[in-house]
Amino acid sequence: MLFRSHDLEHALQLLDDLVKAGLAPDDIILTHLLDGCRHVANLELGKKLFTDLTENAGVRPSEITLVSLLKLHGRCGANVDAFELVSTWEEKYGFKPSVIHYTCIMSGCLRTKKYDDAWLAYDLMCKRGINLDETAISTLLPALVSAQHWERVLCIARKLLTPPVCMKIPEETLNVALSQMTAAAPACKREANQLHELMREAGMHVRSRISKRSA
């Protein structure tokens, strides 16, 4: 069900009534308000509500609050601001963003085909010592294959298929990548060879064959 603008107006009125009654809002209320702002694509209102409730009303944002805030930024294409939020979140609010939060940023970037911005979020996640999970992989990797960013595809494949990590990657996604690399040979010969070897050593079923002349 779509969130209508008058639903958000009603929610804001309820917030005002709650404050006037001397009751304190919490992170659950803030999260729902941010969700409402996302549905009507009102980033400025979302930012204002977040600032008012965290800085003035003493609401401590939760991990779910951050998810909603990042989804709002992604919905409105504010990828740089979302990156800044995650970069400074632990210092400001005392807990470390998880792979879920970085996936939210990447998803928002990829929605508008901002592949470089998505990669910056992935790079920051790695630098912060956070590993990809299946959702993050299924969000980032197919998009990189579709955009034919072969070096980045290889970077993820090496990271996840090389011991000691050896995390499962969908074979279909890598086979699509390998097929496209092979078709583009000789321009992508090196990348195709490397991906083929990574998949073979990981025991994956490899559909595309690399000719000896291109090896």
Coordinates of all heavy atoms in Angstrom, one line a residue, residues 51-108:
T51 N 16.9 15.3 12.9 CA 17.7 16.3 13.7 C 16.9 16.7 14.9 O 17.4 16.7 16.1 CB 18.1 17.5 12.9 OG1 18.9 17.1 11.8 CG2 18.8 18.5 13.7
D52 N 15.6 17.1 14.7 CA 14.8 17.5 15.8 C 14.6 16.5 16.9 O 14.8 16.8 18.1 CB 13.4 17.9 15.3 CG 13.4 19.2 14.5 OD1 14.4 19.9 14.6 OD2 12.4 19.5 13.9
L53 N 14.4 15.2 16.5 CA 14.1 14.2 17.5 C 15.4 13.6 18.1 O 15.3 13.2 19.3 CB 13.3 13.0 16.8 CG 11.9 13.4 16.4 CD1 11.2 12.2 15.9 CD2 11.1 14.1 17.5
T54 N 16.5 13.6 17.4 CA 17.7 13.1 18.1 C 18.5 14.2 18.9 O 19.0 13.9 20.0 CB 18.7 12.5 17.0 OG1 19.0 13.5 16.0 CG2 18.1 11.3 16.3
E55 N 18.5 15.4 18.3 CA 19.3 16.4 19.0 C 18.4 17.2 20.0 O 19.0 17.6 21.1 CB 19.9 17.4 18.0 CG 20.9 16.7 17.1 CD 21.5 17.7 16.1 OE1 21.3 18.9 16.2 OE2 22.3 17.3 15.2
N56 N 17.2 17.4 19.8 CA 16.3 18.2 20.7 C 15.4 17.4 21.6 O 15.2 17.8 22.7 CB 15.5 19.2 19.8 CG 16.3 20.1 18.9 OD1 17.4 20.4 19.3 ND2 15.8 20.4 17.8
A57 N 15.0 16.2 21.1 CA 14.1 15.4 21.9 C 14.8 14.2 22.6 O 14.2 13.5 23.3 CB 12.9 14.9 21.1
G58 N 16.1 14.1 22.3 CA 16.9 13.0 23.0 C 16.6 11.6 22.5 O 16.9 10.7 23.2
V59 N 16.0 11.5 21.3 CA 15.8 10.1 20.8 C 17.1 9.5 20.4 O 17.9 10.1 19.6 CB 14.8 10.1 19.6 CG1 14.7 8.8 19.0 CG2 13.5 10.6 20.0
R60 N 17.4 8.3 20.8 CA 18.6 7.6 20.4 C 18.3 6.7 19.2 O 17.5 5.7 19.3 CB 19.1 6.7 21.5 CG 20.4 6.0 21.2 CD 21.0 5.3 22.4 NE 22.2 4.5 22.1 CZ 23.4 5.0 22.1 NH1 23.5 6.3 22.3 NH2 24.4 4.3 21.8
P61 N 18.8 7.0 18.0 CA 18.4 6.2 16.9 C 19.0 4.7 17.0 O 20.0 4.5 17.6 CB 19.1 6.9 15.7 CG 20.3 7.6 16.4 CD 19.8 8.0 17.7
S62 N 18.2 3.8 16.4 CA 18.5 2.4 16.4 C 19.1 2.0 15.1 O 19.2 2.7 14.1 CB 17.3 1.6 16.7 OG 16.4 1.7 15.7
E63 N 19.5 0.7 15.0 CA 20.0 0.2 13.7 C 18.9 0.2 12.7 O 19.1 0.5 11.5 CB 20.4 -1.3 13.9 CG 21.7 -1.4 14.8 CD 22.2 -2.9 14.8 OE1 21.6 -3.7 14.1 OE2 23.1 -3.1 15.6
I64 N 17.6 0.0 13.1 CA 16.5 0.1 12.1 C 16.2 1.5 11.7 O 15.9 1.8 10.5 CB 15.2 -0.5 12.8 CG1 15.5 -2.0 13.1 CG2 14.0 -0.4 11.8 CD1 14.3 -2.7 13.9
T65 N 16.4 2.5 12.6 CA 16.3 3.9 12.2 C 17.3 4.2 11.1 O 16.9 4.9 10.2 CB 16.6 4.8 13.5 OG1 15.7 4.4 14.5 CG2 16.3 6.2 13.1
L66 N 18.5 3.7 11.3 CA 19.5 4.0 10.3 C 19.1 3.4 8.9 O 19.4 4.0 7.9 CB 20.9 3.5 10.7 CG 22.1 3.7 9.7 CD1 22.2 5.2 9.3 CD2 23.4 3.2 10.3
V67 N 18.6 2.2 8.9 CA 18.1 1.6 7.7 C 17.1 2.5 7.0 O 17.2 2.8 5.8 CB 17.5 0.2 7.9 CG1 16.8 -0.3 6.7 CG2 18.6 -0.8 8.3
S68 N 16.1 3.0 7.7 CA 15.1 3.8 7.2 C 15.7 5.2 6.7 O 15.3 5.7 5.6 CB 14.0 4.1 8.2 OG 13.3 3.0 8.6
L69 N 16.6 5.7 7.4 CA 17.3 7.0 7.0 C 18.0 6.8 5.7 O 18.0 7.6 4.8 CB 18.2 7.4 8.1 CG 18.8 8.9 8.0 CD1 17.6 9.9 7.9 CD2 19.6 9.1 9.2
L70 N 18.7 5.7 5.6 CA 19.5 5.4 4.4 C 18.6 5.1 3.2 O 18.9 5.5 2.0 CB 20.5 4.2 4.6 CG 21.6 4.5 5.6 CD1 22.4 3.2 5.9 CD2 22.6 5.6 5.0
K71 N 17.5 4.4 3.4 CA 16.5 4.2 2.3 C 15.9 5.5 1.8 O 15.7 5.6 0.6 CB 15.5 3.2 2.8 CG 15.9 1.7 2.9 CD 14.8 0.8 3.3 CE 15.2 -0.6 3.3 NZ 14.1 -1.5 3.7
L72 N 15.7 6.4 2.8 CA 15.2 7.7 2.4 C 16.2 8.4 1.5 O 15.8 9.0 0.5 CB 14.9 8.5 3.6 CG 14.6 10.0 3.4 CD1 13.3 10.2 2.6 CD2 14.4 10.7 4.8
H73 N 17.4 8.4 1.9 CA 18.5 9.1 1.1 C 18.6 8.4 -0.3 O 18.7 9.1 -1.3 CB 19.8 9.0 1.8 CG 20.0 10.0 2.8 ND1 19.3 10.0 4.0 CD2 20.7 11.2 2.9 CE1 19.6 11.0 4.8 NE2 20.5 11.8 4.1
G74 N 18.5 7.1 -0.3 CA 18.6 6.4 -1.6 C 17.4 6.7 -2.5 O 17.6 6.8 -3.7
R75 N 16.2 6.8 -1.9 CA 15.0 7.1 -2.7 C 15.1 8.5 -3.4 O 14.6 8.7 -4.5 CB 13.8 7.1 -1.7 CG 12.5 7.6 -2.3 CD 11.8 6.6 -3.1 NE 10.4 6.9 -3.4 CZ 10.0 7.8 -4.2 NH1 10.8 8.5 -5.0 NH2 8.7 8.0 -4.4
C76 N 15.8 9.4 -2.7 CA 15.9 10.7 -3.2 C 17.3 11.0 -3.9 O 17.6 12.1 -4.3 CB 15.8 11.7 -2.0 SG 14.2 11.6 -1.2
G77 N 18.1 9.9 -4.1 CA 19.3 10.1 -4.8 C 20.4 10.8 -4.1 O 21.4 11.3 -4.7
A78 N 20.3 10.9 -2.8 CA 21.3 11.6 -2.0 C 22.4 10.7 -1.5 O 22.6 10.4 -0.3 CB 20.6 12.3 -0.8
N79 N 23.1 10.1 -2.5 CA 24.1 9.1 -2.2 C 25.3 9.6 -1.4 O 25.8 8.9 -0.5 CB 24.6 8.4 -3.5 CG 23.5 7.8 -4.3 OD1 22.5 7.3 -3.7 ND2 23.5 8.0 -5.6
V80 N 25.8 10.8 -1.7 CA 26.9 11.4 -1.0 C 26.6 11.6 0.5 O 27.4 11.3 1.4 CB 27.4 12.7 -1.6 CG1 28.5 13.3 -0.8 CG2 27.8 12.5 -3.1
D81 N 25.4 12.1 0.7 CA 25.0 12.3 2.1 C 24.8 10.9 2.9 O 25.1 10.9 4.1 CB 23.6 13.0 2.2 CG 23.8 14.5 1.8 OD1 24.9 15.0 1.7 OD2 22.8 15.2 1.5
A82 N 24.3 9.9 2.2 CA 24.2 8.6 2.8 C 25.6 8.0 3.2 O 25.7 7.5 4.2 CB 23.5 7.7 1.8
F83 N 26.5 8.2 2.3 CA 27.9 7.8 2.5 C 28.5 8.5 3.8 O 29.1 7.9 4.6 CB 28.8 8.1 1.3 CG 30.2 7.5 1.4 CD1 30.4 6.3 0.9 CD2 31.2 8.3 1.9 CE1 31.7 5.7 1.0 CE2 32.5 7.8 2.0 CZ 32.8 6.5 1.5
E84 N 28.2 9.8 3.9 CA 28.7 10.6 5.0 C 28.0 10.1 6.3 O 28.7 10.0 7.4 CB 28.4 12.0 4.8 CG 28.8 13.0 5.9 CD 30.4 13.0 6.1 OE1 31.1 12.6 5.2 OE2 30.8 13.4 7.2
L85 N 26.7 9.8 6.2 CA 26.0 9.3 7.4 C 26.7 8.0 8.0 O 27.0 7.9 9.2 CB 24.6 8.9 7.1 CG 23.5 10.0 7.2 CD1 22.2 9.5 6.6 CD2 23.3 10.4 8.6
V86 N 27.0 7.1 7.1 CA 27.5 5.8 7.6 C 29.0 6.0 8.0 O 29.4 5.4 9.0 CB 27.5 4.8 6.4 CG1 28.4 3.6 6.7 CG2 26.0 4.3 6.3
S87 N 29.7 6.9 7.4 CA 31.1 7.1 7.7 C 31.2 7.7 9.1 O 32.2 7.4 9.8 CB 31.7 8.2 6.7 OG 31.7 7.7 5.4
T88 N 30.3 8.5 9.6 CA 30.4 9.1 10.9 C 29.5 8.6 11.9 O 29.4 9.1 13.1 CB 30.1 10.7 10.7 OG1 28.8 10.8 10.2 CG2 31.1 11.3 9.7
W89 N 28.7 7.6 11.6 CA 27.6 7.1 12.5 C 28.2 6.6 13.8 O 27.6 6.9 14.9 CB 26.8 6.0 11.8 CG 25.5 5.7 12.5 CD1 25.4 4.7 13.4 CD2 24.3 6.3 12.4 NE1 24.1 4.7 13.9 CE2 23.4 5.7 13.3 CE3 23.8 7.4 11.6 CZ2 22.1 6.1 13.4 CZ3 22.5 7.8 11.8 CH2 21.6 7.1 12.7
E90 N 29.2 5.7 13.7 CA 29.7 5.1 15.0 C 30.2 6.2 15.9 O 29.9 6.1 17.2 CB 30.8 4.1 14.6 CG 31.3 3.4 15.9 CD 32.3 2.3 15.5 OE1 32.8 2.2 14.4 OE2 32.6 1.5 16.4
E91 N 30.9 7.2 15.4 CA 31.4 8.2 16.3 C 30.3 9.0 16.9 O 30.4 9.4 18.1 CB 32.3 9.2 15.4 CG 32.8 10.3 16.1 CD 33.6 11.3 15.2 OE1 33.9 10.9 14.1 OE2 34.0 12.4 15.7
K92 N 29.2 9.3 16.2 CA 28.1 10.1 16.7 C 27.1 9.3 17.6 O 26.7 9.9 18.6 CB 27.3 10.7 15.5 CG 28.1 11.8 14.8 CD 27.2 12.3 13.6 CE 27.9 13.4 12.9 NZ 27.1 14.0 11.8
Y93 N 26.9 8.0 17.2 CA 25.8 7.3 17.9 C 26.2 6.1 18.6 O 25.4 5.4 19.2 CB 24.6 7.1 16.9 CG 24.1 8.3 16.3 CD1 24.4 8.7 15.0 CD2 23.4 9.2 17.0 CE1 24.0 9.8 14.4 CE2 22.9 10.4 16.5 CZ 23.2 10.7 15.2 OH 22.8 11.9 14.6
G94 N 27.5 5.7 18.5 CA 28.0 4.6 19.4 C 27.9 3.2 18.9 O 28.2 2.3 19.6
F95 N 27.3 3.0 17.7 CA 27.3 1.6 17.2 C 27.7 1.6 15.7 O 27.5 2.6 15.0 CB 26.0 0.9 17.4 CG 24.8 1.4 16.6 CD1 24.6 1.0 15.3 CD2 24.0 2.4 17.2 CE1 23.5 1.5 14.6 CE2 22.9 2.9 16.4 CZ 22.7 2.4 15.1
K96 N 28.4 0.5 15.4 CA 29.0 0.3 14.0 C 27.9 -0.1 13.0 O 27.2 -1.1 13.2 CB 30.1 -0.7 14.1 CG 30.9 -0.8 12.9 CD 32.1 -1.8 13.2 CE 33.0 -2.0 12.0 NZ 34.2 -2.9 12.4
P97 N 27.8 0.6 11.9 CA 26.8 0.2 10.9 C 27.2 -1.2 10.4 O 28.4 -1.6 10.3 CB 27.0 1.2 9.8 CG 27.5 2.5 10.5 CD 28.4 2.0 11.6
S98 N 26.2 -2.0 10.0 CA 26.4 -3.4 9.6 C 26.4 -3.5 8.1 O 26.1 -2.5 7.3 CB 25.4 -4.3 10.2 OG 24.1 -4.0 9.6
V99 N 26.5 -4.7 7.6 CA 26.4 -5.0 6.1 C 25.1 -4.6 5.6 O 24.9 -4.1 4.4 CB 26.7 -6.4 5.8 CG1 25.7 -7.4 6.5 CG2 26.8 -6.7 4.3
I100 N 24.1 -4.6 6.4 CA 22.7 -4.2 6.0 C 22.7 -2.8 5.6 O 22.1 -2.4 4.6 CB 21.7 -4.5 7.1 CG1 21.6 -6.0 7.4 CG2 20.3 -3.9 6.8 CD1 20.8 -6.3 8.7
H101 N 23.4 -1.9 6.4 CA 23.4 -0.5 6.1 C 24.1 -0.2 4.9 O 23.7 0.7 4.1 CB 23.9 0.3 7.3 CG 23.1 0.0 8.6 ND1 23.7 -0.7 9.7 CD2 21.9 0.3 8.9 CE1 22.8 -0.8 10.6 NE2 21.7 -0.2 10.2
Y102 N 25.3 -0.8 4.7 CA 26.0 -0.6 3.5 C 25.3 -1.1 2.2 O 25.4 -0.5 1.2 CB 27.4 -1.3 3.6 CG 28.3 -0.6 4.5 CD1 28.5 -1.0 5.8 CD2 29.1 0.6 4.1 CE1 29.3 -0.3 6.7 CE2 29.9 1.2 5.0 CZ 30.0 0.8 6.3 OH 30.9 1.4 7.2
T103 N 24.6 -2.2 2.4 CA 23.8 -2.7 1.3 C 22.7 -1.7 0.9 O 22.4 -1.5 -0.3 CB 23.1 -4.0 1.6 OG1 24.2 -5.0 2.0 CG2 22.3 -4.6 0.5
C104 N 22.1 -1.0 1.9 CA 21.1 0.1 1.6 C 21.7 1.2 0.8 O 21.1 1.6 -0.2 CB 20.6 0.7 2.9 SG 19.4 -0.4 3.8
I105 N 22.9 1.6 1.1 CA 23.6 2.6 0.3 C 23.8 2.1 -1.1 O 23.5 2.8 -2.1 CB 24.9 3.0 0.9 CG1 24.7 3.6 2.3 CG2 25.6 4.1 0.0 CD1 26.0 4.0 3.0
M106 N 24.4 0.9 -1.2 CA 24.7 0.4 -2.6 C 23.5 0.2 -3.4 O 23.4 0.6 -4.6 CB 25.4 -1.0 -2.4 CG 26.8 -0.9 -1.9 SD 27.8 -2.4 -1.9 CE 27.0 -3.3 -0.5
S107 N 22.4 -0.2 -2.8 CA 21.1 -0.4 -3.5 C 20.6 1.0 -4.0 O 20.2 1.1 -5.2 CB 20.1 -1.0 -2.6 OG 18.8 -1.2 -3.3
G108 N 20.7 2.0 -3.2 CA 20.3 3.3 -3.6 C 21.1 3.9 -4.7 O 20.6 4.5 -5.7

